Coordinates of all heavy atoms in Angstrom, one line a residue:
W23 N -54.6 43.2 19.2 CA -55.6 42.9 18.0 C -55.5 44.1 17.0 O -55.7 45.3 17.5 CB -57.1 42.8 18.5 CG -58.1 42.7 17.6 CD1 -58.2 42.9 16.4 CD2 -59.4 42.7 18.0 NE1 -59.3 42.6 15.8 CE2 -60.3 42.6 16.8 CE3 -60.2 42.5 19.2 CZ2 -61.7 42.4 16.9 CZ3 -61.5 42.3 19.2 CH2 -62.2 42.3 18.1
V24 N -55.1 44.0 15.9 CA -55.0 44.9 14.9 C -55.7 44.5 13.7 O -55.9 43.2 13.5 CB -53.6 45.2 14.6 CG1 -52.9 45.9 15.8 CG2 -52.7 44.0 14.0
E25 N -56.1 45.4 12.7 CA -56.8 45.1 11.5 C -56.3 46.0 10.3 O -55.9 47.0 10.6 CB -58.3 45.3 11.5 CG -59.0 44.4 12.5 CD -60.5 44.8 12.6 OE1 -61.1 45.2 11.5 OE2 -61.2 44.5 13.6
Q26 N -56.3 45.4 9.1 CA -56.1 46.3 8.1 C -57.4 46.2 7.1 O -57.7 45.0 6.8 CB -54.9 45.8 7.3 CG -53.6 45.8 8.0 CD -53.4 44.5 8.9 OE1 -53.6 43.3 8.4 NE2 -53.3 44.6 10.2
E27 N -57.9 47.3 6.7 CA -59.2 47.3 5.9 C -59.0 48.0 4.6 O -58.6 49.2 4.7 CB -60.4 47.9 6.8 CG -60.5 47.2 8.1 CD -61.7 48.0 8.9 OE1 -62.0 49.1 8.5 OE2 -62.2 47.4 10.0
Y28 N -59.4 47.4 3.5 CA -59.4 48.0 2.2 C -60.7 48.3 1.8 O -61.5 47.4 1.6 CB -58.6 47.1 1.2 CG -58.6 47.7 -0.2 CD1 -58.0 48.8 -0.5 CD2 -59.6 47.2 -1.2 CE1 -58.0 49.5 -1.7 CE2 -59.5 47.8 -2.4 CZ -58.8 49.0 -2.7 OH -58.7 49.6 -3.9
L29 N -61.1 49.6 1.7 CA -62.4 50.0 1.3 C -62.4 50.2 -0.3 O -61.8 51.0 -0.8 CB -62.8 51.4 2.0 CG -63.1 51.3 3.5 CD1 -61.9 51.0 4.4 CD2 -63.5 52.7 4.0
F30 N -63.3 49.5 -0.8 CA -63.4 49.5 -2.3 C -63.8 50.8 -2.8 O -63.1 51.4 -3.8 CB -64.5 48.4 -2.9 CG -64.1 47.0 -2.4 CD1 -65.3 46.2 -2.0 CD2 -62.9 46.4 -2.5 CE1 -65.1 44.9 -1.7 CE2 -62.6 45.1 -2.2 CZ -63.8 44.4 -1.6
Q31 N -64.9 51.5 -2.4 CA -65.5 52.6 -2.8 C -64.5 53.8 -2.8 O -64.7 54.8 -3.5 CB -66.8 52.9 -2.3 CG -67.9 51.6 -2.6 CD -69.2 51.8 -1.9 OE1 -69.4 52.8 -1.1 NE2 -70.2 51.0 -2.2
E32 N -63.8 53.8 -1.6 CA -62.9 54.9 -1.5 C -61.5 54.7 -1.9 O -60.6 55.6 -1.9 CB -62.9 55.3 0.1 CG -64.3 55.7 0.5 CD -64.2 55.8 2.1 OE1 -63.4 56.8 2.5 OE2 -65.2 55.5 2.7
D33 N -61.2 53.5 -2.3 CA -59.8 52.9 -2.9 C -58.8 53.5 -1.9 O -57.8 54.1 -2.1 CB -59.5 53.6 -4.2 CG -58.3 53.1 -4.8 OD1 -58.0 51.9 -4.4 OD2 -57.8 53.6 -5.5
K34 N -58.9 53.1 -0.5 CA -58.0 53.3 0.5 C -57.9 52.3 1.5 O -58.9 51.4 1.7 CB -58.2 54.7 1.1 CG -59.4 54.6 2.1 CD -59.6 56.0 2.7 CE -60.9 56.0 3.8 NZ -61.0 57.2 4.5
W35 N -56.8 52.2 2.3 CA -56.6 51.3 3.4 C -56.7 52.0 4.8 O -56.4 53.4 4.8 CB -55.2 50.8 3.4 CG -54.9 49.6 2.4 CD1 -54.5 50.0 1.0 CD2 -55.1 48.2 2.4 NE1 -54.5 48.6 0.3 CE2 -54.8 47.6 1.3 CE3 -55.5 47.4 3.5 CZ2 -54.8 46.3 1.1 CZ3 -55.7 46.2 3.5 CH2 -55.3 45.6 2.1
E36 N -57.3 51.3 5.8 CA -57.4 51.9 7.0 C -56.7 50.9 8.1 O -56.7 49.7 7.8 CB -58.9 52.1 7.5 CG -59.6 53.2 6.7 CD -61.0 53.5 7.4 OE1 -61.5 52.8 8.3 OE2 -61.5 54.7 7.0
F37 N -56.0 51.4 9.0 CA -55.3 50.5 9.9 C -55.9 50.8 11.4 O -55.7 51.8 12.0 CB -53.9 50.9 9.9 CG -53.3 50.6 8.4 CD1 -53.2 51.7 7.6 CD2 -52.8 49.4 8.1 CE1 -52.7 51.6 6.2 CE2 -52.3 49.2 6.8 CZ -52.2 50.2 5.9
I38 N -56.5 49.7 11.9 CA -57.3 49.7 13.1 C -56.6 48.9 14.2 O -56.0 48.0 13.9 CB -58.7 49.0 12.8 CG1 -59.3 49.9 11.5 CG2 -59.6 49.1 14.0 CD1 -59.5 51.3 11.8
Y39 N -56.8 49.4 15.4 CA -56.5 48.6 16.5 C -57.6 48.4 17.5 O -58.6 49.3 17.6 CB -55.3 49.3 17.4 CG -55.5 50.7 17.8 CD1 -56.2 51.0 18.9 CD2 -55.0 51.7 16.9 CE1 -56.4 52.4 19.4 CE2 -55.2 53.1 17.3 CZ -55.8 53.3 18.4 OH -56.1 54.7 18.8
N40 N -57.8 47.1 18.1 CA -59.0 46.8 18.9 C -58.4 46.1 20.3 O -58.7 44.9 20.5 CB -59.9 45.9 18.2 CG -60.5 46.6 16.9 OD1 -61.5 47.3 17.1 ND2 -59.9 46.2 15.8
P41 N -57.6 46.7 21.1 CA -57.3 45.9 22.2 C -58.2 45.6 23.2 O -59.2 46.3 23.3 CB -56.1 46.9 22.9 CG -56.7 48.2 22.5 CD -57.3 48.1 21.0
T42 N -58.0 44.4 24.0 CA -59.0 44.0 24.9 C -58.3 43.6 26.1 O -57.1 43.1 26.1 CB -59.9 42.9 24.5 OG1 -59.2 41.6 24.5 CG2 -60.4 43.0 23.1
L43 N -58.8 43.7 27.3 CA -58.3 43.3 28.6 C -59.3 43.1 29.6 O -60.3 43.9 29.7 CB -57.3 44.4 29.1 CG -56.7 44.1 30.4 CD1 -55.7 42.9 30.4 CD2 -55.9 45.4 31.0
G44 N -59.3 41.9 30.3 CA -60.3 41.7 31.3 C -60.1 40.5 32.1 O -59.1 39.7 32.0
A45 N -60.8 40.2 33.2 CA -60.6 39.2 34.2 C -62.0 38.6 34.4 O -63.1 39.4 34.6 CB -60.1 39.7 35.4
A46 N -62.1 37.5 34.7 CA -63.3 36.6 35.1 C -63.1 35.7 36.3 O -62.1 35.0 36.3 CB -64.0 35.8 33.9
Y47 N -64.0 35.6 37.2 CA -63.9 34.6 38.2 C -64.9 33.6 38.2 O -66.1 33.8 38.0 CB -63.8 35.4 39.6 CG -63.7 34.4 40.8 CD1 -62.3 34.0 41.0 CD2 -64.8 34.1 41.6 CE1 -62.1 33.1 42.2 CE2 -64.6 33.3 42.7 CZ -63.2 32.7 43.0 OH -63.1 32.0 44.0
E48 N -64.5 32.3 38.4 CA -65.4 31.2 38.2 C -66.0 30.9 39.6 O -65.5 30.5 40.6 CB -64.6 30.0 37.8 CG -65.5 28.8 37.6 CD -64.7 27.5 37.1 OE1 -64.1 26.8 37.8 OE2 -64.7 27.4 35.7
L49 N -67.3 31.4 39.7 CA -68.1 31.2 40.9 C -68.3 29.8 41.2 O -68.3 29.3 42.4 CB -69.4 31.9 40.9 CG -69.4 33.4 40.6 CD1 -70.7 34.1 40.4 CD2 -68.7 34.2 41.7

C-alpha cells in the first residue's frame, strides 16, 4: 500500500507507505 499526498497549504508532495500483513482463523 502506497499513497501520494499533495498538501495545498504547504505546496508540496508527500510519499507514504502503509504495508499490512496478518492472518485470521475461522473458528
Side-chain angles (χ1 to χ4, degrees):
W23 173 359
V24 294
E25 297 180 25
Q26 304 83 46
E27 302 177 354
Y28 176 67
L29 286 68
F30 302 138
Q31 296 176 356
E32 300 178 47
D33 189 24
K34 72 174 185 177
W35 285 89
E36 291 188 350
F37 300 92
I38 307 298
Y39 52 86
N40 300 276
T42 76
L43 176 65
Y47 183 71
E48 189 175 80
L49 302 174

